Amino acid sequence: MENYQGAYIGPDPKIAQNLSKQTEHADLQCYRNTLNFIQSIKNSKANWELIVYDYQPGEMEPEVLAQMVRNTATFKNGVFILFDQLTNKEKNQKYLKNGIDDVFTFPADYASIASRIEFIRKLNRKESQYHKKDFFEYKLPLSKRLFDLFFASLALLFLSPLMLITALLIRLESRGSVFYISKRVGTGYKVFDFYKFRSMKLNADTQIQDLKKENQYAKNSEKTEVQTHPAEKNKENLAGVPLFSDDGIVCEKEFLQSKNKESQTAFVKIHRDPRITRVGRFIRNTSIDELPQLINIIKGDMSIVGNRPLPLYEAEQITSDRLIERFIAPAGLTGLWQVEKRAKSSQMSPEERKALDIEYARTFNFWRDLKLILRTFTALFQSEDV
């Protein structure tokens, strides 16, 4: 292991010598006070990995110094150790919340302190690597965003007469708002207001529980064998193993079967849905009801092509490691499963739809989006009632 650079700030250089001997890899430079150290760290381009502050009355407060050096690029993941003669539990808690890794008093056990320093260094490096690897902020590619703005603005301009006529017909057939606004879950589980022309009777959402037995996805899932992960198959063999929950004790096998069924029927679509109005049935079959989503696209909630944003009750069912990948892709007005399966939607199992969503998330690009847009126009007019 290579030596790393550190600093001891205080009146006794022997402390730095003792710590250097115990750590073997720490090259500690000595500074008599915080002023000398601050001047040095500002002029240095080296990466500091350890600061040992032997606090003396009249010097800079430890938490102030810790915050100052934490804000410099040369001490991003370093270890800050404090020696304080008059420490107590309350002061220690304050120190630990403000950038100080550990606090010690004299007499000091330098071997234990050196061991603690090495442990914190390893922990800081692992946390830094973990955050770099597993956390990211999704950003829509610039070419896709520019295309979305251009296409959506142009479409709104040319389709505005059709949208005005549709709004008038909806209002004439039934009372209530022309638009249907619901909460949807899009990219990265972002929740936003989703716009459609209203195609159902008023208070249609309250009837969903009564109609779940007609859910075509639920019917298809009964006919489709569930593909179970080998680890889950092993668990299912442990019939009778109790699991403890807030609702009491349940059998593990029954619990896994219940979760499997719940996941399979996350999507809801009713064949010949009785809640749909006459105008609503026409604008659904021609996809005119989707046109207000051009506003969502301009706002940045959605893209022209992507995975369909889901209602909250559907999205909450899709949180497993395998299925969550579909939320990495942009939320879209049209997408892969619409052009692949829409004309045969009553024959499409929920597993097929999820697989297509995941496929798009893994493979989408600008040119493929253009092909999907062209294919979408052939799927707009369909004979099947969806």
Side-chain angles (χ1 to χ4, degrees):
M1 185 182 292
E2 296 181 359
N3 288 353
Y4 58 87
Q5 190 168 352
Y8 165 77
I9 308 168
D12 189 355
K14 290 183 179 180
I15 295 175
Q17 294 173 6
N18 290 330
L19 278 176
S20 295
K21 290 178 182 178
Q22 294 294 334
T23 58
E24 297 182 1
H25 303 290
D27 181 15
L28 293 178
Q29 300 181 29
C30 296
Y31 300 89
R32 292 197 61 83
N33 54 55
T34 52
L35 180 61
N36 291 339
F37 170 70
I38 292 170
Q39 290 175 343
S40 175
I41 201 171
K42 284 182 178 179
N43 298 326
S44 174
K45 295 182 180 180
N47 289 322
W48 297 80
E49 296 191 41
L50 172 64
I51 292 176
V52 180
Y53 185 26
D54 185 1
Y55 175 63
Q56 304 294 318
E59 283 286 348
M60 184 180 293
E61 289 297 318
E63 62 268 34
V64 176
L65 178 63
Q67 291 294 333
M68 183 181 294
V69 296
R70 292 281 182 204
N71 290 330
T72 64
T74 55
F75 193 71
K76 190 173 183 180
N77 298 309
V79 181
F80 195 109
I81 298 295
L82 173 66
F83 285 107
D84 190 353
Q85 301 283 3
L86 303 175
T87 188
N88 56 50
K89 185 176 180 180
E90 290 183 0
K91 285 179 69 176
N92 284 354
Q93 290 177 345
K94 181 181 70 171
Y95 290 150
L96 296 175
K97 289 179 180 178
N98 289 279
I100 295 168
D101 291 300
D102 214 338
V103 185
F104 299 94
T105 57
F106 294 104
D109 181 352
Y110 293 107
S112 297
I113 295 172
S115 177
R116 177 65 175 162
I117 289 171
E118 289 304 312
F119 173 78
I120 296 172
R121 284 186 70 233
K122 291 178 182 178
L123 184 64
N124 287 351
R125 286 202 301 271
K126 286 183 178 179
E127 286 186 348
S128 176
Q129 293 170 359
Y130 175 76
H131 284 289
K132 287 179 181 177
K133 180 179 179 181
D134 293 329
F135 290 92
F136 66 93
E137 181 181 354
Y138 175 84
K139 291 184 178 179
L140 198 69
L142 181 60
S143 59
K144 190 173 176 66
R145 180 60 182 152
L146 292 176
F147 176 78
D148 288 341
L149 287 171
F150 172 78
F151 189 93
S153 301
L154 199 65
L156 275 175
L157 179 64
F158 283 100
L159 295 173
S160 55
L162 175 61
M163 294 175 70
L164 288 172
I165 293 172
T166 302
L168 179 62
L169 291 174
I170 292 171
R171 195 59 185 270
L172 288 174
E173 183 179 26
S174 62
R175 292 184 300 174
S177 174
V178 167
F179 297 103
Y180 173 72
I181 302 175
S182 63
K183 295 293 182 182
R184 293 293 176 100
V185 180
T187 308
Y189 280 88
K190 176 188 174 184
V191 179
F192 63 93
D193 287 331
F194 178 83
Y195 306 121
K196 294 182 73 172
F197 279 125
R198 181 172 61 85
S199 59
M200 290 188 175
K201 301 171 185 176
L202 292 180
N203 302 319
D205 287 347
T206 61
Q207 304 173 38
I208 190 66
Q209 292 297 329
D210 297 332
L211 293 170
K212 272 193 174 180
K213 61 183 180 181
E214 301 298 328
N215 182 12
Q216 65 188 43
Y217 288 130
K219 292 179 178 179
N220 286 334
S221 66
E222 293 174 1
K223 302 175 184 178
T224 305
E225 182 180 354
V226 178
Q227 298 298 318
T228 309
H229 191 278
E232 291 182 347
K233 287 183 178 178
N234 291 336
K235 289 182 179 179
E236 288 183 358
N237 290 332
L238 300 175
V241 175
L243 296 177
F244 297 88
S245 70
D246 293 337
D247 299 322
I249 302 174
V250 296
C251 171
E252 183 178 25
K253 183 175 181 180
E254 292 177 359
F255 172 77
L256 288 171
Q257 290 174 342
S258 173
K259 293 298 289 182
N260 246 335
K261 184 177 180 182
E262 191 176 79
S263 176
Q264 285 291 304
T265 57
F267 299 117
V268 177
K269 187 176 288 291
I270 311 298
H271 182 64
R272 294 287 179 184
D273 195 329
R275 300 171 299 164
I276 301 176
T277 63
R278 287 177 298 174
V279 172
R281 200 171 303 281
F282 174 77
I283 63 176
R284 278 189 167 208
N285 285 343
T286 56
S287 294
I288 293 173
D289 65 322
E290 309 283 358
L291 293 181
Q293 288 155 48
L294 293 168
I295 300 171
N296 284 118
I297 294 169
I298 291 174
K299 289 174 60 180
D301 298 327
M302 296 170 55
S303 182
I304 297 293
V305 183
N307 288 335
R308 290 296 286 166
L310 299 180
L312 301 183
Y313 65 86
E314 291 183 7
E316 70 178 358
Q317 304 292 340
I318 307 178
T319 55
S320 67
D321 291 342
R322 182 173 63 88
L323 300 177
I324 200 173
E325 192 174 356
R326 60 103 52 208
F327 290 101
I328 297 175
L333 178 64
T334 186
L336 182 58
W337 78 264
Q338 285 93 335
V339 299
E340 292 287 347
K341 289 287 186 176
R342 188 172 184 183
K344 300 179 181 179
S345 60
S346 62
Q347 302 171 23
M348 181 175 59
S349 71
E351 281 302 313
E352 286 179 303
R353 175 172 168 177
K354 293 168 190 174
L356 288 171
D357 285 346
I358 293 171
E359 179 186 342
Y360 178 78
R362 292 175 177 173
T363 61
F364 80 90
N365 57 60
F366 180 74
W367 296 111
R368 191 179 190 192
D369 284 355
L370 287 179
K371 292 179 182 178
L372 289 175
I373 290 172
L374 293 175
R375 292 180 63 189
T376 297
F377 289 110
T378 64
L380 287 179
F381 292 89
Q382 55 201 350
S383 59
E384 181 176 358
D385 173 25
V386 296

